[in-house]
Amino acid sequence: MLRRLLGTDGPLLVPAIVIALVLGALASAFAAVAGWFDPGRLTPARMVDALGRRGGDPVGHRRNHAKGVCFTGSFAANGAGTDLSTAPMLAAGRYPVTGRFAIATGNPLAADGSARVRSMAVRIVAPDGQEWRSGMNTSPVFAVATPAAFFAMVQAAMIDPATGKPDPQAMPAFIATHPETGAFLAWARSAPWTASYADQAYYGLNAFILTDARGTGRPVRWSMRPETAAAAVAPDTIGADVLAGDLAERLARGPLRWTMVMTLGQPDDPTDDATRPWPAGRREVVVGTLVVDAAQDEAHGPCRDVNFDPTILPDGIALSDDPLLAARSASYATSFDRRIAEQVRR
Ligand code: HEM
């Protein structure tokens, strides 16, 4: 019957059609398992769309931490990290750094005092070309533990086009249903505000795994502790555009320094939940000093076209099981692709 329908080429076409049907069925099964047919699936595009709808015009800018300033400097490793990891930039020596300070906002023109969280991002390059990229925040814990909860939090902050403001009920409702935000909110309520990037500590928040020369892995969370003493100010006295100017003024007087600290986790410490602090008293190893020499406007500076994807790591530092890391990588790539294309069009 089939052969009659297919005419004289039937004998050759039958196996081809069978193969095509089998491949089609496999592709459909794959797409279904991957969630491609599910319109509610959380994709990097949906995440980045939502991040870009929190006020201001994000076109050409990072969709999160949208307002910032580039810096350059070096990482002076003291060698203490070599007992913990084979990462080449932990061997005693000095390695070039490109970085960026920013405020955690979706609006590239946001007032500096409007964002509770500030950030430092670094790219440290080893002589063999390996890179260590890291984005760190001023809060010692993150607000949420999963990509889905992060998306829900961002949605609660999205601007309603009808009112020009977020739904006033949305964030309280989000917080009420996400008790894991507690430690972050306690920090946000109590930590002093300052008018400088220079006097802040920055925390990597996600856990990573350091691997030593014997192949032994240890969980770690890292942070940058400032040499500059914090000067607390009332939040409503922070000018709209003071942070970049303060940085430039300080750097005109000399470099700024941060000590890099590795906090080592114990076996029961959570590596998959950035909302939960590790118990106090965990072993800390100072592995070196970040020296910031100069700052540059981000529109033309060396950090503009860097994607500070936290999954770009050298040998000797690996990802943990924290689900935020893969979501960060995918969303940063989408944000990067958009802003680079938009800059070309501008
Ligand atoms: C699922 C969770 C997260 C998502 C979806 C997300 C998303 C984003 C996106 C899209 C950007 C802009 C990237 C670019 O265009 O280059 C960004 C920037 C940034 N994020 Fe996240 N983020 C998440 C979690 C975190 C966490 C846990 C931290 C802190 C450790 C963090 C710290 C930063 C920093 C420091 C920047 C600015 C990097 C720079 O200066 O270029 N993010 N985030």
Side-chain angles (χ1 to χ4, degrees):
M1 169 71 167
L2 187 61
R3 211 168 271 192
R4 221 181 302 140
L5 283 173
L6 295 170
T8 51
D9 292 335
L12 285 177
L13 276 179
V14 168
I17 288 171
V18 171
I19 290 168
L21 288 172
V22 170
L23 286 178
L26 280 175
S28 304
F30 176 83
V33 170
W36 291 358
F37 298 143
D38 176 2
R41 192 173 68 102
L42 178 52
T43 61
R46 288 185 70 211
M47 183 78 92
V48 169
D49 285 347
L51 282 165
R53 282 191 218 130
R54 291 172 301 155
D57 178 5
V59 170
H61 298 274
R62 283 161 166 86
R63 293 312 201 257
N64 203 8
H65 301 244
K67 182 183 183 188
V69 57
C70 298
F71 68 80
T72 45
S74 58
F75 177 62
N78 60 16
T82 53
D83 288 344
L84 304 169
S85 165
T86 55
M89 52 289 270
L90 289 177
R94 196 175 270 269
Y95 308 95
V97 173
T98 305
R100 182 171 177 269
F101 291 108
I103 59 172
T105 174
N107 179 355
L109 299 178
D112 287 347
S114 67
R116 189 64 182 101
V117 173
R118 297 178 189 151
S119 62
M120 169 197 277
V122 293
R123 177 180 66 179
I124 308 173
V125 182
D128 66 0
Q130 292 195 67
E131 295 192 7
W132 178 6
R133 302 192 193 185
S134 180
M136 294 159 275
N137 286 351
T138 44
S139 61
V141 285
F142 203 53
V144 291
T146 64
F150 185 79
F151 183 60
M153 184 173 70
V154 174
Q155 281 183 307
M158 269 167 45
I159 302 288
D160 177 349
T163 62
K165 293 181 180 158
D167 172 354
Q169 308 300 324
M171 196 53 81
F174 171 82
I175 289 169
T177 52
H178 289 80
E180 74 275 23
T181 53
F184 171 83
L185 293 173
W187 169 83
R189 280 191 293 268
S190 63
W193 287 78
T194 80
S196 181
Y197 285 126
D199 61 5
Q200 306 276 283
Y202 298 91
Y203 300 88
L205 299 181
N206 300 120
F208 292 84
I209 307 296
L210 297 182
T211 310
D212 67 19
R214 283 196 219 94
T216 306
R218 294 178 183 83
V220 66
R221 286 174 172 170
W222 56 69
S223 53
M224 297 283 189
R225 314 274 174 90
E227 183 186 71
T228 309
V233 299
D236 53 6
T237 64
I238 299 173
D241 292 299
V242 290
L243 292 174
D246 170 83
L247 187 68
E249 271 172 36
R250 289 174 187 268
L251 289 171
R253 297 197 292 270
L256 295 164
R257 292 184 179 79
W258 281 259
T259 300
M260 186 173 203
V261 177
M262 295 286 180
T263 303
L264 300 175
Q266 291 290 313
D268 288 339
D269 293 342
T271 52
D272 61 351
D273 187 343
T275 67
R276 290 170 60 197
W278 287 350
R282 289 290 179 254
R283 187 178 156 215
E284 294 191 337
V285 180
V286 173
V287 294
T289 303
L290 173 72
V291 183
V292 174
D293 295 316
Q296 306 86 10
D297 176 7
E298 74 170 331
H300 307 285
C303 72
R304 189 193 68 177
D305 297 344
V306 179
N307 170 2
F308 291 98
D309 176 343
T311 67
I312 297 180
L313 298 165
D315 292 343
I317 307 180
L319 300 178
S320 69
D321 54 354
D322 188 328
L324 293 180
L325 285 166
R328 289 181 70 185
S329 180
S331 302
Y332 291 25
T334 299
S335 173
F336 179 82
D337 287 350
R338 289 189 188 178
R339 62 188 173 83
I340 295 297
E342 291 158 355
Q343 278 159 16
V344 170
R345 285 204 301 270
R346 266 144 69 107

